Amino acid sequence: MRLNTNETDRPAGGEAPPRNFLITKLEDMVAWGRKNSLWPLNFGLSCCYIEMAASITSRHDIARFGSEVLRSSPREADLMIVAGTVFVKVAPMVKRVYEQMMAPKWVISMGSCANSGGMYDIYSVVQGVDSILPVDVYVPGCPPRPEALTEGLILLQKRIAAERKPLTWITGEAEARGKELPVMREQKGWRKEATTLREPDEA
Amino acid sequence: MSIAAASNILEDLASRFGEGAVTPEPTLDSVPTFWTPKENVLEVLEFLKTGVEGPYRMLYDLTAIDERTRRKRQDQPGSDFTVVYHLLSFDRNEDLRIKVALKGESPSIPSATGVWSSANWYERELWDMFGVRADGHPNLRRILMPQSWEGHPLRKDHPARRTEMERYTLPLEKEVREETALRFVPREWGIYRTEGNGTEFMFLNMGPHHPGTHGIFRIILELDGEEIVNAFPDIGYHHRGAEKMGERQTWHTYIPYTDRIDYLAGPLNNFPYVLAVERLAGIEVPERARVARVMFAELFRIASHLVWYGTFAQDLGQLTPVFLTFNDRERAYSIIEAVSGFRMHPAWFRIGGVQSDLPKGWEKLVKDFIEYLPPRLMEYEKLVMDNAIVKARTRGIGTLTLDQAIDWGVTGPNLRACGIEWDFRKKRPYSGYDRFEFDIPTAGEGDSYARALVRVEEMRQSLRIIEQCLDNMPSGPYKSDHPLATPPRKERTMRDMETLIAILSVLGPVVPAGEAAVGTEAAKGNNTYYLVSDGDASSYRTRIRTPSFPHLQALPLMCKGFEIADHIAIMGSIDFVMGDVDR
């Protein structure tokens, strides 16, 4: 996508075009739009939802990334943040809500419970939401800090920007996936090499 | 709780039912505990509720213990399952435990729903978790697990880990089957009523995924137009097996799980747990740790109430307060993070003290916060509590009388809104609360507005307590030197062998056999951990009596006769957390 601001861009011998238009491909434009207006489903399961609410409210303000329009109806949402533990009793409902969302749709698994069951390897907890639906980004933490959720959202946005999904399910496979995201553990390996740590007993 | 009082009630029981009808049992928490045969139990309960001086008016808790693999049972009659009734007397400020021994694989007890309305859900939980049937119960169906569940999870022969069981998958047929099973069939809930004049009521399903329910909670409303005729809460969507987890984790490694019960106020759950373990182990906590715990707990009470404040206003249609109160909550978290290194679930309490000493410079953070918050609270008071629409939508809405509240096991701010000054911090001071100056706010009306008023004032009182902690923080160790304090203080490990072994040990302390329950005043109400130790590295039975469970059970009572929009206001005003209901 390119914004025309350059005087020298004028075609040879032609008149200078006005400086307020964009030249882009339609699918690039759509990907850009999708990336910047992800509407999350107002959906919470347990503790993580409180941190998700903290991301939405003033200090962390997810509106900065175009995702503040929480939808309570799955029909109007395109991002499901699975915030909390997926219980055996609630799993069919989670799947149902996911199915009710219109494509294209994305899923962020927020917190250890949704990622893998986390510290709850117990009879009533599904060991990770990915056993019932596909996940795009996993955010670790118990619960993840609002900053971590924001990072997960930015990662997802990067992916969406690179994705070329069909414009509607009529023209092709709605569930088409983009390229694989990098594993952040490898990207952040430098943190493990730290040798001097901040003293914990200083406020 | 005096021994004299205990023998007193024993005399009362003996004179009414004859010598030997009840057998006393000594316990570590000195709560008078009596065994009674199954045949007598209803009469005994009825007598204790109405027949004695200073009656035990509240059924505080009702649970069971699977005794089949327990080894150390001094002074106890033999049984396969033991049902435990925990009663509370406001007049005496005393608890009482009634135990009933049951034999066999499919035990049953007579239902106490005729004595206390609140026994209903507790008995359903008994059936669901232990397979103990309550004979004569109006609607004995599973409460926490799905109706399709096989087995009773808290029995010792039920697997604890999901990974021991079949991997969870959700093929289409199963999804359809589970969805169909959720359909509300009035007959399954014991409703056979048809109006003589041909009137039919409408059933409206609300939840489990609904923004107004504050979590995954489902309620079916029976409607006559907009008016609620009856309501049927359906819980268990948030059941995380916390009690079973207590039987697997060591005493020490269970602390983080307690944080996640009422997940808005972690340390207020740590509190009764560590106090109960300390009671079992006989640990005295040093002064600095006691005051630091109080300060931390009160900070979380404020954080929890701030979340309630914002969401309550949001439920009533005000969108601004939630942004303001969450911002203030972040400020409280900046202190909590500086102290413990974590935001929501710090697990900072330890058996015998706290995890670390307060960091240098904590005073400044706390001082700034207690100066910052009061003017903000004044502003919210104008914004929310003085708002004419808020008043119109909450005054006279969802009223509970004091008698109803006691009968249904309501505690905490919801009980104090009915005009009784009942707060464990004052009535049974723990961790040195008796040395702080603070008031217990009450209100008389018992409606949604009164409940809100009590909470708003509680935040101010918590600030008073924090200020006193700031001014009078004792010096000294932050953890006890008792050999069972976990983990032992680092300074000592380099000096004596025993401590080094303890710090290297994977299992942590072995707590002496016995039973103890300690109740505290949590953000939502009275929270009690009833621990049974069999002299092992982990608990034999962990019972968590949470305040939100009975509160939600009383919800239909509060919303009958009101409209759907009022129902949202009522739910907002009782301040429940699903983790606290389903555990």
Side-chain angles (χ1 to χ4, degrees):
Chain A
M1 204 182 314
R2 196 155 58 90
L3 183 65
N4 180 31
T5 52
N6 198 340
E7 277 291 327
T8 58
D9 252 7
R10 87 175 55 156
E15 216 173 286
R19 290 189 212 169
N20 54 358
F21 70 91
L22 285 163
I23 302 170
T24 182
K25 284 193 280 183
L26 181 59
E27 57 176 11
D28 290 357
M29 185 71 195
V30 168
W32 176 82
R34 279 175 179 163
K35 163 185 170 254
N36 290 307
S37 66
L38 276 171
W39 288 10
L41 180 66
N42 189 359
F43 175 74
L45 293 167
S46 45
C47 336
C48 284
Y49 183 66
I50 309 295
E51 286 298 57
M52 183 180 152
S55 319
I56 294 158
T57 48
S58 31
R59 183 174 287 187
H60 299 282
D61 195 11
I62 213 164
R64 296 176 294 157
F65 308 95
S67 284
E68 79 281 19
V69 193
L70 280 189
R71 298 284 89 184
S72 290
S73 162
R75 293 284 187 223
E76 296 169 358
D78 41 26
L79 168 64
M80 183 182 203
I81 301 176
V82 184
T85 315
V86 185
F87 304 91
V88 168
K89 193 167 177 178
V90 92
M93 188 271 291
V94 174
K95 180 117 186 257
R96 178 73 177 268
V97 172
Y98 174 76
E99 283 165 352
Q100 286 174 342
M101 287 166 63
M102 302 284 272
K105 54 189 171 185
W106 295 272
V107 176
I108 291 180
S109 163
M110 181 182 182
S112 304
C113 288
N115 294 346
S116 68
M119 55 196 272
Y120 287 97
D121 179 4
I122 196 86
Y123 56 90
S124 61
V125 172
V126 176
Q127 301 298 296
V129 72
D130 50 8
S131 22
I132 56 169
L133 46 90
V135 173
D136 295 280
V137 176
Y138 297 87
V139 181
C142 188
R145 305 172 60 90
E147 293 92 326
L149 180 63
T150 312
E151 188 187 11
L153 181 74
I154 294 171
L155 278 173
L156 181 66
Q157 287 182 332
K158 279 188 186 156
R159 178 181 185 161
I160 293 170
E163 243 172 19
R164 293 294 174 266
K165 278 188 179 182
L167 295 180
T168 141
W169 54 271
I170 301 169
T171 59
E173 179 59 52
E175 295 295 325
R177 298 271 145 204
K179 61 175 187 198
E180 283 298 306
L181 282 170
V183 179
M184 296 311 285
R185 189 172 51 213
E186 287 161 15
Q187 303 245 316
K188 291 182 179 176
W190 54 268
R191 293 198 303 192
K192 287 183 196 156
E193 287 154 22
T195 48
T196 48
L197 297 173
R198 202 167 61 87
E199 278 294 311
D201 44 356
E202 198 87 44
Chain B
M1 241 152 290
S2 62
I3 309 287
S7 60
N8 210 348
I9 192 74
L10 179 60
E11 274 166 30
D12 283 353
L13 284 166
S15 65
R16 169 73 173 73
F17 297 98
E19 289 294 332
V22 291
T23 330
E25 179 201 337
T27 51
L28 286 170
D29 54 9
S30 54
V31 172
T33 301
F34 303 109
W35 289 80
T36 183
K38 179 177 147 182
E39 297 70 41
N40 268 357
V41 65
L42 280 191
E43 282 167 51
V44 169
L45 293 175
E46 184 79 58
F47 175 66
L48 289 168
K49 188 188 175 188
T50 53
V52 292
E53 206 180 312
Y56 294 84
R57 293 179 63 197
M58 185 183 278
L59 177 66
Y60 186 70
D61 195 10
L62 167 50
T63 187
I65 306 167
D66 180 355
E67 309 269 21
R68 290 173 298 174
T69 57
R70 192 165 162 194
R71 290 164 292 142
K72 296 171 183 152
R73 300 187 61 191
Q74 308 94 325
D75 317 311
Q76 293 194 347
S79 64
D80 292 329
F81 292 91
T82 303
V83 173
V84 186
Y85 298 83
H86 192 131
L87 315 183
L88 176 69
S89 165
F90 294 93
D91 300 343
R92 293 165 181 250
N93 186 16
E94 223 180 69
D95 289 355
L96 184 75
R97 225 178 264 136
I98 297 290
K99 288 185 172 182
V100 183
L102 301 175
K103 296 261 186 197
E105 281 299 300
S106 45
S108 69
I109 44 153
S111 168
T113 43
V115 188
W116 280 283
S117 324
S118 58
N120 191 318
W121 278 18
Y122 288 111
E123 284 176 354
R124 280 176 64 191
E125 193 184 341
L126 272 191
W127 161 244
D128 195 359
M129 293 286 125
F130 288 94
V132 175
R133 202 168 260 291
D135 295 330
H137 189 283
N139 179 29
L140 196 67
R141 65 206 306 269
R142 286 189 183 274
I143 185 166
L144 297 179
M145 302 309 296
Q147 300 303 324
S148 57
W149 195 262
E150 279 169 27
H152 302 282
L154 281 176
R155 285 194 173 194
K156 291 287 177 185
D157 44 16
H158 189 281
R161 289 178 185 273
R162 185 78 223 173
T163 44
E164 286 168 35
M165 303 162 76
E166 207 182 320
R167 187 184 153 82
Y168 187 87
T169 52
L170 195 57
L172 187 63
E173 317 86 86
K174 190 175 172 190
E175 193 190 340
V176 172
R177 197 168 62 234
E178 295 283 339
E179 282 284 342
T180 323
L182 281 181
R183 194 167 294 159
F184 182 74
V185 183
R187 207 175 302 114
E188 284 175 8
W189 289 75
I191 312 160
Y192 300 96
R193 180 179 52 238
T194 44
E195 292 289 311
N197 56 9
T199 311
E200 269 187 39
F201 295 124
M202 177 184 151
F203 290 100
L204 178 74
N205 178 72
M206 189 172 170
H209 157 58
H210 186 282
T213 54
H214 296 242
I216 32 180
F217 164 56
R218 176 174 174 233
I219 186 162
I220 292 108
L221 303 173
E222 189 178 1
L223 299 173
D224 179 9
E226 275 279 308
E227 192 189 311
I228 298 166
V229 180
N230 206 347
F232 307 91
D234 183 18
I235 63 167
Y237 295 94
H238 198 291
H239 177 60
R240 219 153 29 179
E243 292 181 11
K244 190 85 171 174
M245 196 60 95
E247 299 168 15
R248 181 174 103 203
Q249 297 299 115
T250 63
W251 296 100
H252 172 58
T253 58
Y254 187 59
I255 296 173
Y257 288 92
T258 62
D259 269 295
R260 288 156 180 82
I261 304 291
D262 168 5
Y263 46 74
L264 287 176
L268 291 158
N269 304 281
N270 299 160
F271 227 143
Y273 176 69
V274 293
L275 288 176
V277 178
E278 283 155 10
R279 184 71 64 87
L280 281 171
I283 301 174
E284 277 294 321
V285 180
E287 277 305 313
R288 188 175 173 84
R290 281 156 62 110
V291 179
R293 279 178 177 183
V294 167
M295 186 176 84
F296 213 59
E298 293 305 322
L299 271 174
F300 262 91
R301 190 184 309 276
I302 293 174
S304 168
H305 281 6
L306 282 171
V307 172
W308 160 81
Y309 212 169
T311 51
F312 171 64
Q314 197 180 22
D315 287 342
L316 298 170
Q318 282 191 313
L319 219 53
T320 310
V322 71
F323 287 89
L324 300 171
T325 59
F326 264 72
N327 186 21
D328 294 349
R329 177 176 167 268
E330 289 292 328
R331 284 169 197 260
Y333 273 163
S334 63
I335 307 173
I336 289 156
E337 215 180 321
V339 171
S340 70
F342 216 100
R343 283 164 58 92
M344 269 179 81
H345 305 317
W348 190 62
F349 288 18
R350 290 288 180 274
I351 300 164
V354 292
Q355 183 259 336
S356 55
D357 207 349
L358 294 165
K360 289 177 204 122
W362 67 272
E363 294 96 338
K364 168 100 177 48
L365 295 176
V366 174
K367 195 160 180 290
D368 288 350
F369 183 69
I370 50 182
E371 277 169 13
Y372 164 82
L373 199 58
R376 305 287 293 185
L377 290 177
M378 291 288 280
E379 200 176 310
Y380 304 154
E381 190 121 7
K382 273 185 246 160
L383 190 62
V384 184
M385 300 309 288
D386 294 345
N387 183 301
I389 299 174
V390 170
K391 284 183 183 169
R393 289 203 51 191
T394 52
R395 278 199 171 154
I397 304 293
T399 309
L400 267 187
T401 65
L402 183 58
D403 287 340
Q404 284 172 331
I406 290 173
D407 196 41
W408 286 84
V410 173
T411 54
N414 296 341
L415 179 65
R416 293 193 282 274
C418 301
I420 184 173
E421 201 184 294
W422 182 261
D423 189 315
F424 273 173
R425 291 176 295 173
K426 280 269 191 231
K427 295 286 177 188
R428 299 175 187 176
Y430 50 93
S431 202
Y433 266 113
D434 45 339
R435 288 173 301 168
F436 289 96
E437 271 181 21
F438 64 103
D439 300 322
I440 303 300
T442 55
E445 295 79 15
D447 57 7
S448 301
Y449 191 74
R451 291 191 276 272
L453 274 182
V454 169
R455 282 196 192 88
V456 170
E457 186 52 34
E458 267 190 24
M459 285 193 267
R460 296 210 176 88
Q461 297 302 327
S462 291
L463 281 172
R464 268 177 84 186
I465 298 176
I466 294 171
E467 190 169 11
Q468 291 167 54
C469 292
L470 174 68
D471 295 339
N472 306 297
M473 183 62 72
S475 55
Y478 59 89
K479 199 184 279 171
S480 162
D481 281 333
H482 193 282
L484 293 179
T486 320
R489 291 227 319 278
K490 189 80 188 207
E491 304 89 90
R492 289 174 53 226
T493 52
M494 297 303 149
R495 277 184 238 133
D496 69 274
M497 193 63 191
E498 286 303 311
T499 326
L500 192 61
I501 291 169
I503 218 165
L504 294 175
S505 136
V506 186
L507 290 176
V510 170
V511 169
E515 299 179 9
V518 175
T520 59
E521 191 68 33
K524 316 276 180 290
N526 292 161
N527 196 354
T528 293
Y529 277 66
Y530 172 43
L531 301 177
V532 178
S533 171
D534 204 19
D536 253 323
S538 50
S539 150
Y540 183 81
R541 167 95 176 96
T542 304
R543 167 65 185 171
I544 310 166
R545 190 274 180 197
T546 55
S548 297
F549 184 83
H551 291 170
L552 217 47
Q553 186 175 197
L555 182 60
L557 185 73
M558 287 186 240
C559 62
K560 261 179 220 174
F562 293 104
E563 298 187 348
I564 303 174
D566 298 328
H567 174 244
I568 299 288
I570 296 167
M571 276 203 288
S573 76
I574 60 176
D575 187 25
F576 60 87
V577 160
M578 285 322 287
D580 203 37
V581 178
D582 297 338
R583 289 147 281 137

